[in-house]
Every structure is written in structure tokens, then in C-alpha cells.
């Protein structure tokens, strides 16, 4: 199983565990993120259900091990953890729309070997 197959299965499993709780818009925003990551050659994330009907996303990779996203119907909460605290900000997002440059800069760098 590839890393992208694993990530898709994690996403589908979240929805399957709580099918009536996830709004279609929340699922669409998560699909937008996955499409962006895969299209731009970025690494596949880990995905698990949030406390609210949201998706939690992170990576076990150097440089982004302190990054976590929480995906909702209208926004993505972006968390960067440090030794004592964390920074958080919201990326407003409507399904199908572009992401901000600030959001793109937070994500793991593309793997140039995947883009060739």
C-alpha cells in the first residue's frame, strides 16, 4: 500500500466511523487539501477524526513534525507547536477555491522526486 493509499483509507475510515456527523462541506474541504497535497507532490499526511466532526492532519517528517491541521467546513485551523506553546491561525476555505500563500508555505515541501 502506498502512503497515498494509506492516507485515503484513513480519511475514508474517519467518515465511515461517523457518517452522519461529517458535513458534506467538511469532507469537500478535506478532499481539497488532499488533492492539493498530491497534485503538488507533497507527502501524504496522517489523518484521524477530531473531537468535533473535523479531520486532524499531521506528518511524521522532519521540519513539519510540529505542524497540525484541523479541518472544518469553513476553515482549516493551522497549529505550529514549539517547546512550551503553539501558534494557531485560521485559513478560511470554501470548497473548490484556492488556498492562501501563507497556508501553502506552512505545508511540507514538495518531494522533487515525486514531481519528475
Amino acid at each position: 500500500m502506498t502512503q497515498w493509499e494509506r492516507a485515503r483509507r484513513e480519511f475514508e475510515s474517519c467518515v465511515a466511523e461517523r457518517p452522519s456527523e461529517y458535513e458534506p462541506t467538511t469532507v469537500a474541504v478535506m478532499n481539497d487539501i488532499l488533492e492539493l497535497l498530491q497534485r503538488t507532490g507533497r507527502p501524504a499526511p496522517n489523518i484521524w477524526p477530531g473531537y468535533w466532526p473535523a479531520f486532524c492532519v499531521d506528518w511524521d517528517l522532519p521540519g513539519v513534525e510540529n505542524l497540525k491541521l484541523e479541518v472544518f467546513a469553513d476553515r482549516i485551523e493551522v497549529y505550529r507547536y514549539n517547546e512550551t506553546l503553539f501558534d494557531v491561525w485560521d485559513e478560511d476555505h470554501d470548497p473548490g477555491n484556492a488556498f492562501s500563500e501563507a497556508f501553502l508555505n506552512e505545508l511540507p515541501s514538495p518531494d522533487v522526486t515525486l514531481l519528475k
Side-chain angles (χ1 to χ4, degrees):
M1 173 185 324
T2 69
Q3 290 298 311
W4 277 106
E5 289 169 337
R6 177 202 43 80
R8 284 281 174 190
R9 281 194 180 168
E10 289 174 356
F11 173 44
E12 291 165 3
S13 177
C14 291
V15 176
E17 288 176 19
R18 297 167 26 185
S20 64
E21 294 183 35
Y22 283 101
E23 293 179 35
T25 310
T26 307
V27 173
V29 171
M30 188 66 224
N31 269 317
D32 282 357
I33 292 169
L34 291 175
E35 192 277 328
L36 167 75
L37 293 170
Q38 195 163 21
R39 179 177 40 82
T40 58
R42 296 169 196 267
N46 303 309
I47 303 166
W48 71 96
Y51 174 76
W52 304 107
F55 299 99
C56 293
V57 178
D58 73 2
W59 293 262
D60 298 323
L61 298 169
V64 290
E65 65 276 351
N66 66 339
L67 173 65
K68 179 182 157 197
L69 308 177
E70 195 162 4
V71 180
F72 295 90
D74 60 345
R75 72 190 182 287
I76 301 129
E77 292 179 0
V78 180
Y79 296 84
R80 276 284 187 181
Y81 294 86
N82 59 46
E83 290 111 29
T84 57
L85 299 171
F86 62 88
D87 294 321
V88 62
W89 59 276
D90 290 349
E91 167 79 5
D92 294 332
H93 185 74
D94 293 320
N97 288 344
F99 293 97
S100 73
E101 192 68 30
F103 182 74
L104 296 174
N105 289 335
E106 289 288 346
L107 299 174
S109 297
D111 182 344
V112 292
T113 61
L114 294 175
L115 295 174
K116 292 182 179 179

